[in-house]
Every structure is written in C-alpha cells, then in structure tokens.
Amino acid sequence: MAFDFGALLEKMKMLLASDHASIVSINLFVALICACIVIGHLLEENRWMNESITALTIGLCTGVVILQISGGKTPHIFMFSEDLFFIYLLPPIIFNAGFQVKKKQFFRNFMTIILFGALGNLISFITISLGAIGIFRKMNIGKLEIGDYLAIGAIFSTTDSVCTLQVLNQDEMPLLYSLVFGEGVVNDATSVVLFNAVQNFDLSHINTTIALQLVGNILYLFISSTFLGFIAGLFSAYVIKKLYFGRHSTDREVAIMILMAYLSYMVAELFSLSAILTVFFCGIVMSHYTWHNVSENSRVTTKHTFATLSFIAEIFIFLYVGMDTLDMEKWKFVSDSPGISVKVSSILLVLVLVGRAAFVFPLSFLSNLTKKSPDEKIDFKQQFTIWWAGLMRGAVSMALAYNQFTKGGHTQLRGNAIMITSTITVVLFSTVVFGLMTKPLIRLLLPSSKNLIRSVSSEPGSPKSFINMPLLVGNGQDSDSDLGGVQYKFPRPNSLRMFLTTPSHTVHYYWRKFDNAFMRPVFGGRGFVPFVPGSPTEQQCDHQQWH
C-alpha cells in the first residue's frame, strides 16, 4: 500500500499555518490588553469612560483595521467562542467578586438580592419572551420556534455585572453596590439556568407539569450549586489548615487556592450545575476561612493574583466582543434588509427597558415593606440607579445567543443571523451609551458620601483590607468588635425604645456564635487561636515561623 507523502505534507502545512495563526492572535490580544491598561490609566479620572468601554472601543477600532488589511474578508480571529468565555474568562471574574465582597453587607441584604436576582430575572424573562412572541411573529424575520423565543427572554434578561461593577464604588455606596453586585451574579446564574432549562425541556406541549418541573429544576440547581461552592471552600480551608503548606512554600498555598477554586467551577460544569453560583460562594467561603489559614505573604499574593486575573479577563472579554462584532459573515444576511435589523434591535432594547422596570420598582416596594429602618430602605433614586445599572448587556448575552442561534460560530439561517446581529447591536448600544451615561448619572443622583462612611467601609479580616475595623456599628451588629486583638466597646441601647428598635442579638450574632464554636475550630479563620502564655499550640508555632 503506497504512502501518500503529498497528503502528509499538506497536513503539516495546515498545522503550521494554524499554529502561526494562533501565535499571531495571541500576540495581538496581549498587545491590545497592554494598550487598554495604559489608555485606561490615562483616562482614570474621566467622568464618562470606564475600562469596559475603552476595551470595547479598542476592539472595534482593531477590527476595522484588520478588515481593511484583509480586504473585507473575515479572519478567524473574529470568532466568538462561548466555551472560551464560560470555561476560561468568566470563572476568575465571578470568583474574585465573591472573594472580595463585603460579606456582612451582602448577607444582610441577601433576601433582597435573591428577590431581585431570581424572581426579578424570572419576571424579566417572561416579559421579554411574551413581547418577542407577540411582536416578532408578525415580522418577516425568518422561522423561529417557541424555544427560540423563550431563549431570547433568557438571553436579554441577563445583566452585565462586569461593566456595572466598574461604575459603582463599594466603599462609597455599600448598600447600592451589594444590591447591584449581588443581583448581577444571581441574575447571570438564573439566566444560564433558564437558558439550559429551555433547551432541555420539551416546549411543544407546555402544561402545568412541565412548568412545575422547570421551577423544581431551577430550585435544585440553585441549592445544589450553592452547596457545592460551600463544600469546595470548606474543603480547601481544611486541607490548608491541616497540612500547613506555608511552612515550606508559599507557592504551594497560592497554587492550591487557585486550583481548588477553579476545580469547584469545573465540577459544577461536569454535573450540569450553575458553575457561576458555585464559584461565587466558593470565593466567599475561601475569603472567610481559607485566606486566614495561609501565611502573610500568601495572603498578599492571593489577594492581588485573583484581582489581576479578574481584571485581565474583563478586558479580554470586551476586546473579544468588540472585534467579533465585525464578523462580516453574520451581517451579510441582513444587508439586503437593514431596516428589519434596526427594528428588531430597537424592539429588543425597549423590551429590556420594560422587562427590567417590571420587577425593579415593584420588588423594591415589597422589600421596603419588610425594612423597619429608613437607612435600609431603597429610595427612588437608588431604585432608578439599580434599574439603570442593569440595562447593560454584555458577553453573557453574546455567549448564550451564539449557543442558541449558531453552530460553531456560523449560521446559514436568516432568522438566526438577524437575532445574532441584533444581539450584537443591543450589547454595543447598551454598553457604550448606557455605560457612558452611568457615571455622571450616579454622581447626579447620589452625591459622594465617602467621608461619612470611610470609617466603617472595611470589613474585618476581609481580603479587601488588611485593617480590621467594625463594618456595621450600631445597626444591629455585635456591640463588641475585635480590632487587632483589642476589644472595642460600642454603646448598647440605653432605653427600652432604643432596645426595641436596635436589638443586640441578630442573625449575624447567632451565626458568629455558631462560627466561633463549631466552624473555626475545624476550618480555621480570623482570630481562631487565642494566645495563651506558656502553652503555645502547634498552629501558633507555625504562625511564629511564618512571621
């Protein structure tokens, strides 16, 4: 049997060309990320621009240049991959968000966050889906099934938490930041769960049984994903506490934290759970327990490593979206009827506005009914800010749209191409226009109050700050705060009225009692081992070695 050397040579040439193209793409993206960092630094004080818009603009400009060089052809560098986004870029962003979040403020507003992120997302999903069914069926945009319309609801009900978090300041507006940030994470997870449920269920004959199965599946994914995140975080804390990696190498401590955080995300993906929720709660648990079990050098290293990986991933995403926007293959299907594409994009934008308003203001009203303190209630300016900050759509919407309407990034169906180009238009318009207006809008509605809250802005023992200070003073938290081993006394209620309005025993108080009695002895954490003169424990000896 003769061996075909010609075919072998052709295959080798193709492999070499593919490797060369990959090297070119990597060089281009690394250079662009460096450019984004430099330009973002120069525009730091600009009242309009932020890092996301800068990266998106640079991506668009680069795409135009490449199109001119290639003679209008579409290079493979423009291909948007949902696998690249969900497997490599999203995990460090969500994990760092959980790792750096102020836990007390987040869990203090946990029910409101769940109300907005889960129930609110469901209301937005229903509003956008019904609007798409009622309007798009009357338009000549190609054949779309009921599953496609429901997928549109899931795609456009998800907010872009990445862009929103760059606008709000956690220290200046802790309540607003925790609500927008928490809703963004839960919203993204809910949208992905809804999207997967739409794809997996038979929607040709919707009845009560299928609706109940859908709700049950969502609840199961939420509970199991959150539980997996807690278990992964506790396991990492226990392993690092027992094995004392820092005695020999801080590199091992840093490596095991990074790898176990990523492992939690991939295990959730393996079992078809919500990996976003899993890695988010893994980050919260690791910041509460694991981070305090490592050496001081490892604390500084992990804090900045997680933040840097998240920062680079955010820039990469918006560069990627900006460059992929100019993929000419998708736009040629709508070139003969640009008016329809503009109408579809405009309708989707209106549905996004209406769908978000349909739950932000009513659910804020319900949330305020459960709040006794005026400081805990969400006033109208804050409600408007929450509504506006969630109007931006980003890479999650792009990834879900590609998953639903393309195969391997390509489509030959007119209806699918229109939905892809409309998604790109909505993402670009909302990110650039709404994103540019968000900073001045927040400054107009909510003037800075940094000086009033700076003294209580750093959470005790949080990776966000190495300075231990009481976060919430006189708001139902513990009256005694441990600051660097010194007990600081805060006044207790001195009258019956003050005692009734400011109880000393809250949920946080009982959780702290349980945490100190059962969790920290097993998993470690801040201030676990007190110093007893004359009887140092093994862990205290190790602590002395570290320092």
Side-chain angles (χ1 to χ4, degrees):
M1 183 177 179
F3 186 77
D4 192 349
F5 286 101
L8 179 61
L9 289 174
E10 287 296 325
K11 289 182 180 179
M12 291 180 65
K13 288 180 180 179
M14 291 175 62
L15 288 173
L16 289 174
S18 176
D19 291 340
H20 180 72
S22 299
I23 293 173
V24 171
S25 301
I26 293 172
N27 275 278
L28 177 61
F29 272 104
V30 171
L32 290 176
I33 290 173
C34 292
C36 288
I37 293 174
V38 173
I39 296 174
H41 171 73
L42 297 175
L43 297 175
E44 182 70 28
E45 301 301 325
N46 189 283
R47 62 177 296 183
W48 299 95
M49 298 294 289
N50 59 51
E51 214 84 43
S52 303
I53 299 174
T54 301
L56 195 62
T57 304
I58 292 176
L60 284 169
C61 295
T62 306
V64 172
V65 172
I66 293 177
L67 275 180
Q68 293 295 324
I69 294 174
S70 63
K73 296 181 180 179
T74 303
H76 290 292
I77 194 173
F78 289 124
M79 297 302 297
F80 184 91
S81 170
E82 59 267 21
D83 289 337
L84 173 65
F85 172 72
F86 281 110
I87 301 300
Y88 300 107
L89 299 178
L90 190 60
I93 297 173
I94 301 299
F95 175 81
N96 185 65
F99 193 73
Q100 303 283 9
V101 70
K102 293 180 177 179
K103 296 180 287 296
K104 288 182 182 178
Q105 189 71 19
F106 177 81
F107 285 105
R108 189 181 183 191
N109 301 295
F110 186 72
M111 293 309 299
T112 304
I113 289 171
I114 294 296
L115 195 67
F116 281 6
L119 181 59
N121 181 275
L122 187 61
I123 294 174
S124 179
F125 164 76
I126 294 173
T127 303
I128 295 174
S129 297
L130 292 178
I133 293 173
I135 298 174
F136 291 156
R137 279 187 169 178
K138 300 177 181 179
M139 299 174 63
N140 182 26
I141 62 172
K143 184 179 181 181
L144 294 177
E145 306 292 339
I146 183 65
D148 295 324
Y149 292 114
L150 295 179
I152 291 172
I155 290 167
F156 290 99
S157 62
T158 179
T159 62
D160 181 14
S161 56
V162 174
C163 190
T164 304
L165 293 179
Q166 293 180 350
V167 175
L168 298 176
N169 188 295
Q170 187 169 197
D171 293 331
E172 294 183 17
M173 295 166 281
L175 172 62
L176 190 62
Y177 182 94
S178 67
L179 291 177
V180 174
F181 157 76
E183 186 230 330
V185 174
V186 177
N187 180 290
D188 286 349
T190 307
S191 297
V192 175
V193 169
L194 283 171
F195 182 82
N196 292 332
V198 166
Q199 288 189 321
N200 295 332
F201 278 83
D202 181 15
L203 301 172
S204 57
H205 301 88
I206 300 179
N207 52 40
T208 306
T209 304
I210 292 179
L212 291 176
Q213 288 178 348
L214 182 63
V215 173
N217 186 49
I218 293 173
L219 292 175
Y220 162 74
L221 289 176
F222 264 89
I223 295 172
S224 56
S225 301
T226 303
F227 180 74
L228 177 59
F230 274 106
I231 293 299
L234 291 176
F235 181 72
S236 69
Y238 184 80
V239 168
I240 291 179
K241 177 175 178 290
K242 289 297 181 183
L243 297 182
Y244 303 124
F245 289 97
R247 289 181 302 183
H248 305 296
S249 171
T250 58
D251 296 337
R252 291 190 178 97
E253 286 184 319
V254 176
I256 200 70
M257 286 187 69
I258 294 175
L259 292 175
M260 294 193 74
Y262 189 67
L263 181 63
S264 70
Y265 186 91
M266 296 309 299
V267 169
E269 285 286 337
L270 180 64
F271 290 100
S272 300
L273 301 177
S274 175
I276 296 175
L277 279 179
T278 296
V279 77
F280 173 71
F281 282 102
C282 178
I284 290 179
V285 175
M286 288 182 74
S287 70
H288 188 67
Y289 296 109
T290 312
W291 190 73
H292 297 282
N293 294 339
V294 301
S295 64
E296 192 71 25
N297 289 336
S298 295
R299 293 184 190 182
V300 177
T301 303
T302 53
K303 172 181 179 289
H304 291 290
T305 298
F306 292 142
T308 303
L309 291 175
S310 174
F311 176 71
I312 293 175
E314 290 175 9
I315 296 178
F316 191 94
I317 285 173
F318 284 98
L319 276 173
Y320 208 23
V321 171
M323 294 180 68
D324 183 74
T325 299
L326 297 175
D327 181 3
M328 292 296 103
E329 179 183 307
K330 297 184 291 289
W331 294 96
K332 69 181 182 181
F333 287 97
V334 298
S335 59
D336 59 337
S337 53
I340 292 181
S341 181
V342 172
K343 287 182 181 178
V344 172
S345 301
S346 302
I347 292 169
L348 287 173
L349 274 171
V350 172
L351 290 176
V352 167
L353 295 171
V354 174
R356 186 149 184 86
F359 77 85
V360 168
F361 299 106
L363 294 185
S364 296
F365 174 76
L366 293 178
S367 176
N368 288 340
L369 293 179
T370 64
K371 307 292 184 182
K372 295 182 179 180
S373 172
D375 296 334
E376 296 179 348
K377 293 186 177 182
I378 310 171
D379 60 36
F380 180 76
K381 290 184 178 180
Q382 291 175 326
Q383 293 177 30
F384 187 86
T385 303
I386 293 172
W387 171 76
W388 180 271
L391 294 177
M392 289 172 277
R393 298 296 178 264
V396 176
S397 296
M398 290 276 289
L400 295 180
Y402 271 78
N403 188 294
Q404 177 69 23
F405 297 109
T406 68
K407 291 184 178 179
H410 301 276
T411 180
Q412 297 296 325
L413 300 176
R414 183 171 182 271
N416 290 355
I418 288 177
M419 295 313 306
I420 290 292
T421 54
S422 298
T423 302
I424 293 172
T425 304
V426 171
V427 168
L428 289 177
F429 183 88
S430 62
T431 301
V432 175
V433 177
F434 296 156
L436 284 173
M437 298 176 64
T438 299
K439 272 188 178 180
L441 183 67
I442 289 177
R443 291 182 181 181
L444 177 65
L445 295 177
L446 304 168
S448 176
S449 56
K450 184 183 296 185
N451 295 331
L452 297 177
I453 64 170
R454 183 179 295 277
S455 61
V456 295
S457 64
S458 297
E459 182 176 334
S462 150
K464 198 75 176 174
S465 173
F466 288 100
I467 303 174
N468 293 337
M469 298 177 64
L471 175 67
L472 301 171
V473 180
N475 288 321
Q477 305 299 326
D478 296 337
S479 57
D480 298 341
S481 179
D482 184 9
L483 181 59
V486 181
Q487 292 292 327
Y488 287 84
K489 301 289 184 178
F490 295 98
R492 291 184 181 273
N494 53 15
S495 68
L496 179 61
R497 181 179 179 183
M498 288 182 64
F499 180 79
L500 292 176
T501 56
T502 312
S504 59
H505 290 183
T506 62
V507 174
H508 173 258
Y509 170 83
Y510 290 110
W511 160 250
R512 185 170 179 180
K513 296 278 286 185
F514 173 79
D515 194 28
N516 291 334
F518 299 102
M519 300 297 288
R520 289 183 179 177
V522 178
F523 301 105
R526 182 178 64 90
F528 161 58
V529 181
F531 178 73
V532 180
S535 59
T537 63
E538 181 181 359
Q539 184 173 353
Q540 289 169 338
C541 293
D542 290 333
H543 183 78
Q544 293 169 2
Q545 290 175 6
W546 287 346
H547 293 79

